[in-house]
Amino acid sequence: MAALVDAHCHLGDAAFDPDRAAVLERARAAGVTHVVVIGATLEESDRAVSLARGRPGLSATAGLHPHEARGWSVEVAARLRDLLALPEVVALGETGLDYHYDHSPRDDQRRAFEAQLGLAAEAGKPAVVHAREADDDMAAMLGAAGGALVLHSFSSGAKVFAAGMRIAAYFSFSGMITFKNWTMHEPLTACPPDRLLVETDAPYLAPVPHRGQRNEPAFVRHVAEALARVRGESTETLERRTADNACRLFGARLATALEPLGDS
Ligand SMILES: [Zn+2]
């Protein structure tokens, strides 16, 4: 059976407030079977849970983005621990390191990232990791990570790729690989077939031919097509394989599929 999973989407973002139901219907019509709804703040995590609750085809994550790491506290940790115990929450995240924007001090980022990796391992759920311009620290911290994880919208250098390979991380590719200025073909072809995922990171990073527009889950097909082309595989094979990988990483809930509007 055909399956296509958007492994990372900020469906709770206000950008989707006007037409979220229509966005999901377009995704379903485009062949997307499942969308992982990301929580990058406590608020967004709560929203992800309420979107995914009782809805086949949607799963949630709960975490604190590195931009927000200055707000890390024992209270936040306790709240995330509670969220991670819920059946619709399939992963911790997004967490990680972002030294491009440095919205939070780097010490705070490392502390929140390390603590969240611990929460994920404790819950027995994978971590969704954001990495930007922090290759040395990211590679070192991945080396110490215990549980399963995915490097989302992968765009790091060889050092992080190698560190991810050593711990059998999953690599999720976004619309960035369709951009004209994308030059890193090595990770696209070197990533083992059972470690590949595709994502939109919507509403950000719309792939060509929608670059500059609001991104949405239906566009994940453009990412799958681009990745299949570079790897010399059929799009069908790549979609099936990345859906299987998402199931292995995030659990059986990922095998549930979006239903047509009006069914629930
Ligand atoms: Zn994201």
Side-chain angles (χ1 to χ4, degrees):
M1 214 178 74
L4 175 57
V5 173
D6 179 357
H8 192 113
C9 171
H10 295 266
L11 190 67
D13 193 280
F16 295 116
D17 284 351
D19 62 344
R20 195 170 281 107
V23 164
L24 283 173
E25 180 53 23
R26 280 199 294 277
R28 194 195 60 78
V32 176
T33 50
H34 204 101
V35 178
V36 179
V37 185
I38 299 297
T41 63
L42 284 185
E43 278 176 348
E44 197 190 6
S45 301
D46 283 336
R47 226 174 304 140
V49 169
S50 54
L51 285 168
R53 181 158 290 163
R55 293 283 298 279
L58 294 181
S59 294
T61 74
L64 194 72
H65 196 281
H67 291 346
E68 315 289 334
R70 65 169 74 243
W72 184 254
S73 67
V74 289
E75 289 79 13
V76 171
R79 188 75 194 103
L80 289 179
R81 188 177 282 118
D82 289 346
L83 288 168
L84 279 166
L86 300 173
E88 35 299 270
V89 175
V90 297
L92 178 292
E94 62 185 283
T95 180
L97 303 174
D98 192 317
Y99 296 174
H100 176 75
Y101 287 107
D102 277 328
H103 285 331
S104 281
R106 294 179 179 184
D107 279 345
D108 290 352
Q109 292 191 41
R110 287 187 288 264
R111 191 165 59 109
F113 181 33
E114 189 173 20
Q116 288 181 88
L117 288 175
L119 283 178
E122 179 191 308
K125 291 183 177 175
V128 177
V129 176
H130 169 108
R132 188 156 183 204
E133 292 177 27
D135 285 23
D136 287 347
D137 284 354
M138 180 53 67
M141 290 181 75
L142 288 180
L149 59 84
V150 50
L151 289 157
H152 109 84
S153 190
F154 186 79
S155 59
S156 298
K159 197 167 183 174
V160 176
F161 183 73
M165 288 290 286
R166 270 195 294 279
I167 60 164
Y170 288 76
F171 296 85
S172 182
F173 294 99
S174 71
M176 287 176 81
I177 69 166
T178 69
F179 297 171
K180 253 203 223 88
N181 58 3
W182 178 270
T183 53
M184 299 196 313
H185 294 294
E186 172 73 17
L188 304 186
T189 50
C191 181
D194 62 348
R195 287 294 178 271
L196 277 175
L197 296 171
V198 286
E199 65 170 73
T200 56
D201 204 14
Y204 317 107
L205 300 177
V208 173
H210 302 285
R211 192 169 183 185
Q213 301 169 22
R214 181 188 70 174
N215 198 1
E216 60 176 68
F219 299 165
V220 75
R221 166 141 291 141
H222 299 297
V223 181
E225 282 167 0
L227 187 54
R229 205 177 308 125
V230 174
R231 290 175 63 90
E233 298 169 3
S234 76
T235 306
E236 198 182 15
T237 302
L238 187 119
E239 291 183 356
R240 178 73 251 174
R241 188 174 271 159
T242 50
D244 287 347
N245 294 344
C247 264
R248 196 182 323 110
L249 175 66
F250 293 119
R253 188 185 172 90
L254 271 283
T256 67
L258 289 170
E259 289 174 348
L261 268 184
D263 269 26
S264 51

